[in-house]
Amino acid sequence: MPILQVCRRYRCTDGLIEHIVPAPAPSPEHQEGITRTLWHCQSVLEPLAHDDDRLVLLGRDLTIPIGITS
């Protein structure tokens, strides 16, 4: 199987985007701005050594415990 990879940042001409701030309320204009910005960026892919690493990564990045998987 191919190596599992995850994108957690984007490389753009202005530098790295490491966090995308969501709109406080649903906003097509805000989402359009994010899409327009990322269109000109390149995904920075990080390989994950083990399938379980994605759960650790998600839990850490979202600051929530993951207790049940299936």
CSV table of all heavy atoms in Angstrom, one decimal:
chain,number,residue,atom,x,y,z
A,1,MET,N,0.8,-1.2,0.0
A,1,MET,CA,0.0,0.0,0.0
A,1,MET,C,0.9,1.3,0.0
A,1,MET,O,2.0,1.2,0.6
A,1,MET,CB,-0.9,0.0,1.2
A,1,MET,CG,-2.0,-1.1,1.2
A,1,MET,SD,-3.1,-1.0,2.6
A,1,MET,CE,-4.0,0.5,2.1
A,2,PRO,N,0.4,2.3,-0.6
A,2,PRO,CA,1.1,3.6,-0.6
A,2,PRO,C,1.3,4.1,0.9
A,2,PRO,O,0.5,3.8,1.7
A,2,PRO,CB,0.3,4.5,-1.4
A,2,PRO,CG,-1.0,4.0,-1.5
A,2,PRO,CD,-0.9,2.5,-1.3
A,3,ILE,N,2.3,5.0,1.0
A,3,ILE,CA,2.5,5.6,2.3
A,3,ILE,C,1.4,6.6,2.6
A,3,ILE,O,1.0,7.4,1.8
A,3,ILE,CB,3.8,6.3,2.4
A,3,ILE,CG1,5.0,5.3,2.2
A,3,ILE,CG2,4.0,7.2,3.6
A,3,ILE,CD1,6.3,6.0,2.0
A,4,LEU,N,0.8,6.5,3.8
A,4,LEU,CA,-0.3,7.5,4.2
A,4,LEU,C,0.4,8.8,4.5
A,4,LEU,O,1.4,8.9,5.2
A,4,LEU,CB,-0.9,6.9,5.5
A,4,LEU,CG,-2.1,7.8,6.0
A,4,LEU,CD1,-3.2,7.8,5.0
A,4,LEU,CD2,-2.6,7.2,7.3
A,5,GLN,N,-0.2,9.9,3.9
A,5,GLN,CA,0.4,11.2,4.1
A,5,GLN,C,-0.8,12.1,4.5
A,5,GLN,O,-1.9,11.9,4.3
A,5,GLN,CB,1.0,11.7,2.8
A,5,GLN,CG,2.1,10.9,2.3
A,5,GLN,CD,2.7,11.5,1.1
A,5,GLN,OE1,3.1,12.6,1.0
A,5,GLN,NE2,2.7,10.6,0.0
A,6,VAL,N,-0.4,13.2,5.2
A,6,VAL,CA,-1.4,14.2,5.6
A,6,VAL,C,-0.9,15.6,5.3
A,6,VAL,O,0.3,15.8,5.3
A,6,VAL,CB,-1.7,14.0,7.2
A,6,VAL,CG1,-0.5,14.3,8.0
A,6,VAL,CG2,-2.8,14.9,7.6
A,7,CYS,N,-1.8,16.5,5.0
A,7,CYS,CA,-1.4,17.9,4.7
A,7,CYS,C,-1.9,18.7,5.9
A,7,CYS,O,-3.1,18.8,6.2
A,7,CYS,CB,-2.1,18.4,3.4
A,7,CYS,SG,-1.8,20.1,3.1
A,8,ARG,N,-0.9,19.4,6.5
A,8,ARG,CA,-1.3,20.2,7.7
A,8,ARG,C,-0.8,21.7,7.5
A,8,ARG,O,-1.0,22.5,8.3
A,8,ARG,CB,-0.6,19.7,9.0
A,8,ARG,CG,-1.1,18.3,9.3
A,8,ARG,CD,-0.4,17.6,10.5
A,8,ARG,NE,-0.4,18.5,11.6
A,8,ARG,CZ,0.7,18.6,12.4
A,8,ARG,NH1,1.8,18.0,12.1
A,8,ARG,NH2,0.6,19.4,13.5
A,9,ARG,N,-0.2,21.9,6.3
A,9,ARG,CA,0.3,23.3,6.0
A,9,ARG,C,0.4,23.4,4.5
A,9,ARG,O,0.5,22.4,3.8
A,9,ARG,CB,1.5,23.6,6.7
A,9,ARG,CG,2.7,22.7,6.5
A,9,ARG,CD,3.9,23.0,7.4
A,9,ARG,NE,3.7,23.0,8.8
A,9,ARG,CZ,3.7,21.9,9.6
A,9,ARG,NH1,4.0,20.7,9.0
A,9,ARG,NH2,3.5,22.0,10.8
A,10,TYR,N,0.5,24.6,4.0
A,10,TYR,CA,0.6,24.9,2.6
A,10,TYR,C,1.7,25.9,2.4
A,10,TYR,O,1.9,26.8,3.2
A,10,TYR,CB,-0.7,25.6,2.1
A,10,TYR,CG,-1.9,24.7,2.2
A,10,TYR,CD1,-2.7,24.7,3.4
A,10,TYR,CD2,-2.3,23.8,1.2
A,10,TYR,CE1,-3.8,23.8,3.5
A,10,TYR,CE2,-3.4,23.0,1.3
A,10,TYR,CZ,-4.1,23.0,2.5
A,10,TYR,OH,-5.2,22.2,2.6
A,11,ARG,N,2.5,25.7,1.4
A,11,ARG,CA,3.6,26.6,1.0
A,11,ARG,C,3.1,27.5,-0.1
A,11,ARG,O,2.7,27.1,-1.1
A,11,ARG,CB,4.8,25.8,0.5
A,11,ARG,CG,6.0,26.6,0.2
A,11,ARG,CD,7.3,25.8,-0.1
A,11,ARG,NE,7.8,25.2,1.1
A,11,ARG,CZ,7.8,23.9,1.4
A,11,ARG,NH1,7.3,23.1,0.5
A,11,ARG,NH2,8.2,23.4,2.5
A,12,CYS,N,3.2,28.8,0.2
A,12,CYS,CA,2.8,29.8,-0.7
A,12,CYS,C,4.0,30.8,-1.0
A,12,CYS,O,5.0,30.7,-0.4
A,12,CYS,CB,1.6,30.6,-0.1
A,12,CYS,SG,0.2,29.6,0.4
A,13,THR,N,3.8,31.7,-2.0
A,13,THR,CA,4.8,32.6,-2.3
A,13,THR,C,5.2,33.5,-1.1
A,13,THR,O,6.3,34.0,-1.0
A,13,THR,CB,4.5,33.5,-3.5
A,13,THR,OG1,3.2,34.1,-3.3
A,13,THR,CG2,4.4,32.6,-4.8
A,14,ASP,N,4.2,33.8,-0.2
A,14,ASP,CA,4.4,34.6,0.9
A,14,ASP,C,4.9,33.9,2.2
A,14,ASP,O,5.1,34.5,3.2
A,14,ASP,CB,3.1,35.3,1.3
A,14,ASP,CG,2.6,36.3,0.2
A,14,ASP,OD1,3.5,36.7,-0.6
A,14,ASP,OD2,1.4,36.6,0.2
A,15,GLY,N,5.1,32.6,2.1
A,15,GLY,CA,5.5,31.8,3.2
A,15,GLY,C,4.6,30.6,3.4
A,15,GLY,O,3.9,30.1,2.5
A,16,LEU,N,4.6,30.1,4.7
A,16,LEU,CA,3.8,28.9,5.0
A,16,LEU,C,2.5,29.4,5.6
A,16,LEU,O,2.4,30.3,6.4
A,16,LEU,CB,4.5,28.0,6.0
A,16,LEU,CG,5.6,27.1,5.5
A,16,LEU,CD1,6.3,26.4,6.6
A,16,LEU,CD2,5.1,26.1,4.5
A,17,ILE,N,1.4,28.7,5.3
A,17,ILE,CA,0.1,28.8,6.0
A,17,ILE,C,0.0,27.5,6.8
A,17,ILE,O,0.0,26.4,6.3
A,17,ILE,CB,-1.1,28.9,5.0
A,17,ILE,CG1,-1.0,30.1,4.1
A,17,ILE,CG2,-2.4,28.8,5.7
A,17,ILE,CD1,-2.0,30.3,3.1
A,18,GLU,N,0.0,27.8,8.1
A,18,GLU,CA,0.0,26.6,9.1
A,18,GLU,C,-1.4,26.5,9.8
A,18,GLU,O,-1.6,25.6,10.5
A,18,GLU,CB,1.1,26.7,10.1
A,18,GLU,CG,2.5,26.7,9.4
A,18,GLU,CD,3.6,26.5,10.3
A,18,GLU,OE1,3.6,25.5,11.1
A,18,GLU,OE2,4.5,27.4,10.3
A,19,HIS,N,-2.2,27.5,9.6
A,19,HIS,CA,-3.5,27.5,10.3
A,19,HIS,C,-4.5,28.3,9.5
A,19,HIS,O,-4.3,29.4,9.1
A,19,HIS,CB,-3.4,28.1,11.7
A,19,HIS,CG,-4.6,28.0,12.5
A,19,HIS,ND1,-5.1,26.9,13.0
A,19,HIS,CD2,-5.5,29.0,12.8
A,19,HIS,CE1,-6.3,27.1,13.7
A,19,HIS,NE2,-6.5,28.4,13.6
A,20,ILE,N,-5.7,27.7,9.2
A,20,ILE,CA,-6.8,28.3,8.5
A,20,ILE,C,-7.8,28.7,9.5
A,20,ILE,O,-8.4,27.8,10.2
A,20,ILE,CB,-7.3,27.4,7.4
A,20,ILE,CG1,-6.3,27.2,6.4
A,20,ILE,CG2,-8.6,28.1,6.7
A,20,ILE,CD1,-6.6,26.1,5.3
A,21,VAL,N,-8.1,30.0,9.6
A,21,VAL,CA,-9.1,30.5,10.6
A,21,VAL,C,-10.5,30.4,10.0
A,21,VAL,O,-10.8,31.0,8.9
A,21,VAL,CB,-8.8,31.9,11.0
A,21,VAL,CG1,-9.8,32.4,12.0
A,21,VAL,CG2,-7.4,32.0,11.6
A,22,PRO,N,-11.4,29.6,10.6
A,22,PRO,CA,-12.8,29.5,10.0
A,22,PRO,C,-13.5,30.8,10.3
A,22,PRO,O,-13.2,31.5,11.3
A,22,PRO,CB,-13.4,28.3,10.8
A,22,PRO,CG,-12.6,28.2,12.0
A,22,PRO,CD,-11.2,28.7,11.7
A,23,ALA,N,-14.5,31.1,9.5
A,23,ALA,CA,-15.4,32.2,9.8
A,23,ALA,C,-16.3,31.9,11.0
A,23,ALA,O,-16.6,30.8,11.3
A,23,ALA,CB,-16.3,32.4,8.6
A,24,PRO,N,-16.6,33.0,11.8
A,24,PRO,CA,-17.4,32.8,13.0
A,24,PRO,C,-18.8,32.2,12.7
A,24,PRO,O,-19.4,31.6,13.5
A,24,PRO,CB,-17.5,34.1,13.7
A,24,PRO,CG,-16.9,35.1,12.7
A,24,PRO,CD,-16.2,34.3,11.6
A,25,ALA,N,-19.3,32.5,11.5
A,25,ALA,CA,-20.6,32.0,11.0
A,25,ALA,C,-20.4,31.6,9.6
A,25,ALA,O,-19.5,32.1,8.9
A,25,ALA,CB,-21.6,33.1,11.1
A,26,PRO,N,-21.3,30.7,9.1
A,26,PRO,CA,-21.2,30.3,7.7
A,26,PRO,C,-21.1,31.5,6.7
A,26,PRO,O,-21.9,32.5,6.8
A,26,PRO,CB,-22.4,29.5,7.4
A,26,PRO,CG,-22.8,29.0,8.8
A,26,PRO,CD,-22.4,30.1,9.7
A,27,SER,N,-20.0,31.5,5.9
A,27,SER,CA,-19.8,32.7,5.0
A,27,SER,C,-19.2,32.2,3.7
A,27,SER,O,-18.0,31.8,3.6
A,27,SER,CB,-18.8,33.7,5.7
A,27,SER,OG,-18.4,34.6,4.8
A,28,PRO,N,-20.0,32.2,2.6
A,28,PRO,CA,-19.4,31.9,1.3
A,28,PRO,C,-18.3,32.8,0.9
A,28,PRO,O,-17.3,32.3,0.3
A,28,PRO,CB,-20.6,32.0,0.4
A,28,PRO,CG,-21.8,31.9,1.2
A,28,PRO,CD,-21.4,32.5,2.6
A,29,GLU,N,-18.3,34.0,1.3
A,29,GLU,CA,-17.3,35.0,0.9
A,29,GLU,C,-16.0,34.6,1.6
A,29,GLU,O,-14.9,34.6,1.0
A,29,GLU,CB,-17.7,36.4,1.3
A,29,GLU,CG,-18.8,37.0,0.5
A,29,GLU,CD,-20.2,36.5,1.1
A,29,GLU,OE1,-20.3,36.0,2.2
A,29,GLU,OE2,-21.2,36.7,0.3
A,30,HIS,N,-16.1,34.2,2.9
A,30,HIS,CA,-14.9,33.8,3.6
A,30,HIS,C,-14.3,32.5,3.0
A,30,HIS,O,-13.1,32.4,2.8
A,30,HIS,CB,-15.2,33.6,5.1
A,30,HIS,CG,-14.0,33.2,5.9
A,30,HIS,ND1,-13.2,34.2,6.4
A,30,HIS,CD2,-13.6,32.1,6.4
A,30,HIS,CE1,-12.2,33.6,7.1
A,30,HIS,NE2,-12.5,32.3,7.1
A,31,GLN,N,-15.1,31.6,2.7
A,31,GLN,CA,-14.7,30.3,2.1
A,31,GLN,C,-14.1,30.6,0.7
A,31,GLN,O,-13.1,30.0,0.4
A,31,GLN,CB,-15.8,29.3,2.0
A,31,GLN,CG,-15.4,28.0,1.5
A,31,GLN,CD,-14.4,27.3,2.4
A,31,GLN,OE1,-14.6,27.3,3.7
A,31,GLN,NE2,-13.3,26.7,1.9
A,32,GLU,N,-14.6,31.5,0.0
A,32,GLU,CA,-14.1,31.8,-1.3
A,32,GLU,C,-12.7,32.4,-1.2
A,32,GLU,O,-11.8,32.1,-2.0
A,32,GLU,CB,-15.0,32.8,-2.1
A,32,GLU,CG,-14.5,33.2,-3.4
A,32,GLU,CD,-15.4,34.2,-4.1
A,32,GLU,OE1,-16.4,34.7,-3.5
A,32,GLU,OE2,-15.1,34.5,-5.3
A,33,GLY,N,-12.5,33.2,-0.2
A,33,GLY,CA,-11.2,33.8,0.1
A,33,GLY,C,-10.1,32.8,0.4
A,33,GLY,O,-9.0,32.8,-0.1
A,34,ILE,N,-10.5,31.8,1.2
A,34,ILE,CA,-9.6,30.7,1.6
A,34,ILE,C,-9.3,29.9,0.3
A,34,ILE,O,-8.1,29.6,0.1
A,34,ILE,CB,-10.2,29.8,2.6
A,34,ILE,CG1,-10.4,30.5,4.0
A,34,ILE,CG2,-9.4,28.5,2.8
A,34,ILE,CD1,-11.2,29.8,5.0
A,35,THR,N,-10.3,29.5,-0.5
A,35,THR,CA,-10.1,28.8,-1.7
A,35,THR,C,-9.2,29.5,-2.6
A,35,THR,O,-8.2,28.9,-3.2
A,35,THR,CB,-11.4,28.4,-2.4
A,35,THR,OG1,-12.2,27.7,-1.4
A,35,THR,CG2,-11.2,27.6,-3.6
A,36,ARG,N,-9.4,30.8,-2.8
A,36,ARG,CA,-8.6,31.6,-3.7
A,36,ARG,C,-7.1,31.6,-3.3
A,36,ARG,O,-6.2,31.5,-4.1
A,36,ARG,CB,-9.2,33.0,-3.8
A,36,ARG,CG,-8.5,33.8,-4.9
A,36,ARG,CD,-9.1,35.2,-5.1
A,36,ARG,NE,-10.6,35.3,-5.1
A,36,ARG,CZ,-11.3,35.8,-4.2
A,36,ARG,NH1,-10.8,36.4,-3.1
A,36,ARG,NH2,-12.7,35.8,-4.3
A,37,THR,N,-6.9,31.8,-2.0
A,37,THR,CA,-5.5,31.8,-1.5
A,37,THR,C,-4.8,30.5,-1.7
A,37,THR,O,-3.7,30.4,-2.2
A,37,THR,CB,-5.6,32.2,0.0
A,37,THR,OG1,-6.1,33.5,0.2
A,37,THR,CG2,-4.2,32.1,0.6
A,38,LEU,N,-5.5,29.4,-1.3
A,38,LEU,CA,-4.9,28.0,-1.4
A,38,LEU,C,-4.7,27.6,-2.8
A,38,LEU,O,-3.9,26.7,-3.1
A,38,LEU,CB,-5.7,27.0,-0.6
A,38,LEU,CG,-5.7,27.3,0.9
A,38,LEU,CD1,-6.6,26.2,1.6
A,38,LEU,CD2,-4.3,27.3,1.5
A,39,TRP,N,-5.4,28.1,-3.7
A,39,TRP,CA,-5.3,27.8,-5.2
A,39,TRP,C,-3.9,28.0,-5.6
A,39,TRP,O,-3.4,27.3,-6.5
A,39,TRP,CB,-6.3,28.6,-6.0
A,39,TRP,CG,-6.4,28.2,-7.4
A,39,TRP,CD1,-5.7,28.8,-8.5
A,39,TRP,CD2,-7.1,27.0,-8.0
A,39,TRP,NE1,-6.0,28.1,-9.6
A,39,TRP,CE2,-6.8,27.0,-9.3
A,39,TRP,CE3,-7.8,26.0,-7.4
A,39,TRP,CZ2,-7.4,26.1,-10.2
A,39,TRP,CZ3,-8.4,25.1,-8.2
A,39,TRP,CH2,-8.1,25.1,-9.6
A,40,HIS,N,-3.2,29.0,-5.1
A,40,HIS,CA,-1.9,29.3,-5.5
A,40,HIS,C,-0.8,28.8,-4.6
A,40,HIS,O,0.4,29.2,-4.7
A,40,HIS,CB,-1.7,30.8,-5.6
A,40,HIS,CG,-2.8,31.5,-6.5
A,40,HIS,ND1,-2.6,31.4,-7.9
A,40,HIS,CD2,-3.9,32.1,-6.3
A,40,HIS,CE1,-3.7,32.0,-8.4
A,40,HIS,NE2,-4.5,32.5,-7.5
A,41,CYS,N,-1.2,27.9,-3.8
A,41,CYS,CA,-0.2,27.3,-2.8
A,41,CYS,C,0.0,25.8,-3.1
A,41,CYS,O,-0.7,25.2,-3.9
A,41,CYS,CB,-0.7,27.4,-1.4
A,41,CYS,SG,-1.0,29.1,-0.8
A,42,GLN,N,1.1,25.2,-2.5
A,42,GLN,CA,1.4,23.8,-2.7
A,42,GLN,C,1.2,23.1,-1.4
A,42,GLN,O,1.7,23.6,-0.3
A,42,GLN,CB,2.8,23.7,-3.2
A,42,GLN,CG,3.2,22.2,-3.4
A,42,GLN,CD,4.7,22.2,-3.8
A,42,GLN,OE1,5.4,23.1,-3.8
A,42,GLN,NE2,5.1,21.0,-4.3
A,43,SER,N,0.5,22.0,-1.4
A,43,SER,CA,0.4,21.2,-0.2
A,43,SER,C,1.7,20.7,0.3
A,43,SER,O,2.5,20.2,-0.5
A,43,SER,CB,-0.5,20.0,-0.4
A,43,SER,OG,-1.8,20.4,-0.9
A,44,VAL,N,1.9,20.8,1.6
A,44,VAL,CA,3.1,20.2,2.2
A,44,VAL,C,2.7,18.9,2.9
A,44,VAL,O,2.0,18.9,3.9
A,44,VAL,CB,3.8,21.1,3.3
A,44,VAL,CG1,5.0,20.5,3.9
A,44,VAL,CG2,4.1,22.5,2.6
A,45,LEU,N,3.1,17.8,2.3
A,45,LEU,CA,2.6,16.4,2.7
A,45,LEU,C,3.6,15.9,3.7
A,45,LEU,O,4.8,15.9,3.5
A,45,LEU,CB,2.5,15.5,1.6
A,45,LEU,CG,1.4,15.9,0.5
A,45,LEU,CD1,1.4,15.0,-0.6
A,45,LEU,CD2,0.0,16.0,1.2
A,46,GLU,N,3.1,15.3,4.8
A,46,GLU,CA,3.9,14.7,5.8
A,46,GLU,C,3.6,13.2,5.9
A,46,GLU,O,2.4,12.8,6.0
A,46,GLU,CB,3.6,15.3,7.2
A,46,GLU,CG,3.9,16.7,7.3
A,46,GLU,CD,3.4,17.3,8.7
A,46,GLU,OE1,3.5,16.5,9.7
A,46,GLU,OE2,2.9,18.4,8.7
A,47,PRO,N,4.6,12.3,5.7
A,47,PRO,CA,4.2,10.9,5.8
A,47,PRO,C,3.9,10.5,7.2
A,47,PRO,O,4.5,11.0,8.2
A,47,PRO,CB,5.5,10.2,5.3
A,47,PRO,CG,6.6,11.2,5.5
A,47,PRO,CD,6.0,12.6,5.4
A,48,LEU,N,3.0,9.5,7.4
A,48,LEU,CA,2.7,9.0,8.7
A,48,LEU,C,3.3,7.5,8.7
A,48,LEU,O,2.9,6.7,7.8
A,48,LEU,CB,1.2,9.0,9.0
A,48,LEU,CG,0.6,10.4,9.0
A,48,LEU,CD1,-0.9,10.2,9.1
A,48,LEU,CD2,1.1,11.2,10.1
A,49,ALA,N,4.1,7.2,9.7
A,49,ALA,CA,4.7,5.9,9.8
A,49,ALA,C,3.7,4.8,10.0
A,49,ALA,O,3.8,3.7,9.4
A,49,ALA,CB,5.8,5.9,10.9
A,50,HIS,N,2.7,5.1,10.8
A,50,HIS,CA,1.7,4.0,11.2
A,50,HIS,C,0.3,4.6,11.1
A,50,HIS,O,0.1,5.8,11.3
A,50,HIS,CB,1.9,3.5,12.6
A,50,HIS,CG,3.3,3.0,12.8
A,50,HIS,ND1,3.8,1.9,12.3
A,50,HIS,CD2,4.3,3.6,13.5
A,50,HIS,CE1,5.1,1.7,12.6
A,50,HIS,NE2,5.4,2.7,13.4
A,51,ASP,N,-0.7,3.8,10.8
A,51,ASP,CA,-2.1,4.3,10.7
A,51,ASP,C,-2.5,4.9,12.0
A,51,ASP,O,-3.3,5.9,12.0
A,51,ASP,CB,-3.0,3.1,10.4
A,51,ASP,CG,-2.9,2.7,8.9
A,51,ASP,OD1,-2.3,3.4,8.1
A,51,ASP,OD2,-3.4,1.6,8.6
A,52,ASP,N,-2.1,4.5,13.1
A,52,ASP,CA,-2.5,5.0,14.4
A,52,ASP,C,-1.9,6.4,14.6
A,52,ASP,O,-2.5,7.2,15.4
A,52,ASP,CB,-2.0,4.1,15.6
A,52,ASP,CG,-2.8,2.8,15.6
A,52,ASP,OD1,-3.9,2.7,15.0
A,52,ASP,OD2,-2.3,1.9,16.3
A,53,ASP,N,-0.9,6.8,13.9
A,53,ASP,CA,-0.3,8.1,14.0
A,53,ASP,C,-1.3,9.2,13.6
A,53,ASP,O,-1.3,10.3,14.2
A,53,ASP,CB,0.9,8.3,13.1
A,53,ASP,CG,2.1,7.5,13.6
A,53,ASP,OD1,2.1,7.0,14.8
A,53,ASP,OD2,3.1,7.3,12.9
A,54,ARG,N,-2.2,8.9,12.7
A,54,ARG,CA,-3.2,9.9,12.3
A,54,ARG,C,-4.1,10.3,13.4
A,54,ARG,O,-4.6,11.4,13.6
A,54,ARG,CB,-4.0,9.5,11.0
A,54,ARG,CG,-4.8,8.3,11.2
A,54,ARG,CD,-5.5,7.9,10.0
A,54,ARG,NE,-5.8,6.5,10.1
A,54,ARG,CZ,-6.3,5.8,9.2
A,54,ARG,NH1,-6.6,6.3,8.0
A,54,ARG,NH2,-6.6,4.5,9.4
A,55,LEU,N,-4.5,9.3,14.3
A,55,LEU,CA,-5.3,9.5,15.4
A,55,LEU,C,-4.6,10.4,16.4
A,55,LEU,O,-5.2,11.3,17.0
A,55,LEU,CB,-5.8,8.2,16.1
A,55,LEU,CG,-6.6,7.3,15.2
A,55,LEU,CD1,-6.9,6.0,15.9
A,55,LEU,CD2,-7.9,8.0,14.7
A,56,VAL,N,-3.4,10.1,16.7
A,56,VAL,CA,-2.6,11.0,17.6
A,56,VAL,C,-2.5,12.4,17.1
A,56,VAL,O,-2.7,13.4,17.8
A,56,VAL,CB,-1.2,10.4,17.8
A,56,VAL,CG1,-0.3,11.3,18.6
A,56,VAL,CG2,-1.3,9.0,18.5
A,57,LEU,N,-2.2,12.5,15.8
A,57,LEU,CA,-2.1,13.8,15.2
A,57,LEU,C,-3.4,14.6,15.2
A,57,LEU,O,-3.4,15.8,15.6
A,57,LEU,CB,-1.7,13.6,13.7
A,57,LEU,CG,-1.4,14.9,12.9
A,57,LEU,CD1,-0.1,15.5,13.3
A,57,LEU,CD2,-1.4,14.5,11.4
A,58,LEU,N,-4.5,13.9,14.9
A,58,LEU,CA,-5.8,14.6,15.0
A,58,LEU,C,-6.2,15.0,16.4
A,58,LEU,O,-6.6,16.2,16.6
A,58,LEU,CB,-6.9,13.7,14.4
A,58,LEU,CG,-7.1,13.6,12.9
A,58,LEU,CD1,-8.0,12.5,12.6
A,58,LEU,CD2,-7.5,14.9,12.4
A,59,GLY,N,-6.0,14.2,17.3
A,59,GLY,CA,-6.2,14.5,18.7
A,59,GLY,C,-5.4,15.7,19.2
A,59,GLY,O,-5.9,16.6,19.9
A,60,ARG,N,-4.2,15.7,18.8
A,60,ARG,CA,-3.3,16.8,19.2
A,60,ARG,C,-3.7,18.1,18.5
A,60,ARG,O,-3.8,19.2,19.2
A,60,ARG,CB,-1.8,16.5,18.9
A,60,ARG,CG,-0.9,17.5,19.5
A,60,ARG,CD,0.6,17.2,19.2
A,60,ARG,NE,0.9,17.1,17.8
A,60,ARG,CZ,1.5,16.1,17.2
A,60,ARG,NH1,2.0,15.1,17.9
A,60,ARG,NH2,1.7,16.2,15.9
A,61,ASP,N,-3.9,18.1,17.2
A,61,ASP,CA,-4.2,19.3,16.5
A,61,ASP,C,-5.6,19.8,16.8
A,61,ASP,O,-5.8,21.0,16.8
A,61,ASP,CB,-4.1,19.0,15.0
A,61,ASP,CG,-2.7,18.9,14.5
A,61,ASP,OD1,-1.7,19.1,15.3
A,61,ASP,OD2,-2.5,18.7,13.3
A,62,LEU,N,-6.6,19.0,17.1
A,62,LEU,CA,-7.9,19.4,17.4
A,62,LEU,C,-8.1,19.6,18.9
A,62,LEU,O,-9.2,20.1,19.3
A,62,LEU,CB,-8.9,18.4,16.9
A,62,LEU,CG,-8.9,18.3,15.3
A,62,LEU,CD1,-9.9,17.2,14.9
A,62,LEU,CD2,-9.2,19.6,14.6
A,63,THR,N,-7.1,19.3,19.7
A,63,THR,CA,-7.1,19.3,21.2
A,63,THR,C,-8.4,18.6,21.7
A,63,THR,O,-9.0,19.2,22.6
A,63,THR,CB,-7.0,20.8,21.7
A,63,THR,OG1,-8.2,21.5,21.2
A,63,THR,CG2,-5.7,21.4,21.2
A,64,ILE,N,-8.6,17.4,21.2
A,64,ILE,CA,-9.7,16.6,21.7
A,64,ILE,C,-9.2,15.2,21.9
A,64,ILE,O,-8.4,14.7,21.1
A,64,ILE,CB,-11.0,16.6,20.8
A,64,ILE,CG1,-10.6,16.1,19.4
A,64,ILE,CG2,-11.6,18.0,20.8
A,64,ILE,CD1,-11.8,15.8,18.6
A,65,PRO,N,-9.7,14.5,22.9
A,65,PRO,CA,-9.3,13.1,23.1
A,65,PRO,C,-10.1,12.2,22.1
A,65,PRO,O,-11.2,12.5,21.8
A,65,PRO,CB,-9.6,12.7,24.5
A,65,PRO,CG,-10.7,13.7,24.9
A,65,PRO,CD,-10.4,15.0,24.1
A,66,ILE,N,-9.4,11.2,21.5
A,66,ILE,CA,-10.1,10.3,20.6
A,66,ILE,C,-10.2,9.0,21.4
A,66,ILE,O,-9.1,8.3,21.7
A,66,ILE,CB,-9.3,10.1,19.3
A,66,ILE,CG1,-9.3,11.5,18.6
A,66,ILE,CG2,-10.0,9.0,18.5
A,66,ILE,CD1,-8.5,11.5,17.3
A,67,GLY,N,-11.4,8.6,21.8
A,67,GLY,CA,-11.5,7.4,22.6
A,67,GLY,C,-12.1,6.2,21.9
A,67,GLY,O,-11.9,5.0,22.3
A,68,ILE,N,-12.8,6.4,20.8
A,68,ILE,CA,-13.5,5.3,20.1
A,68,ILE,C,-13.1,5.4,18.6
A,68,ILE,O,-13.3,6.5,18.0
A,68,ILE,CB,-15.0,5.3,20.3
A,68,ILE,CG1,-15.3,5.2,21.8
A,68,ILE,CG2,-15.7,4.2,19.5
A,68,ILE,CD1,-16.8,5.4,22.1
A,69,THR,N,-12.7,4.3,18.0
A,69,THR,CA,-12.5,4.2,16.6
A,69,THR,C,-13.1,3.0,16.0
A,69,THR,O,-13.4,2.1,16.7
A,69,THR,CB,-11.0,4.2,16.3
A,69,THR,OG1,-10.4,3.1,16.8
A,69,THR,CG2,-10.3,5.5,16.8
A,70,SER,N,-13.3,3.0,14.7
A,70,SER,CA,-13.9,1.8,14.1
A,70,SER,C,-13.3,1.7,12.7
A,70,SER,O,-12.8,2.6,12.2
A,70,SER,CB,-15.4,1.8,14.1
A,70,SER,OG,-15.9,2.8,13.3
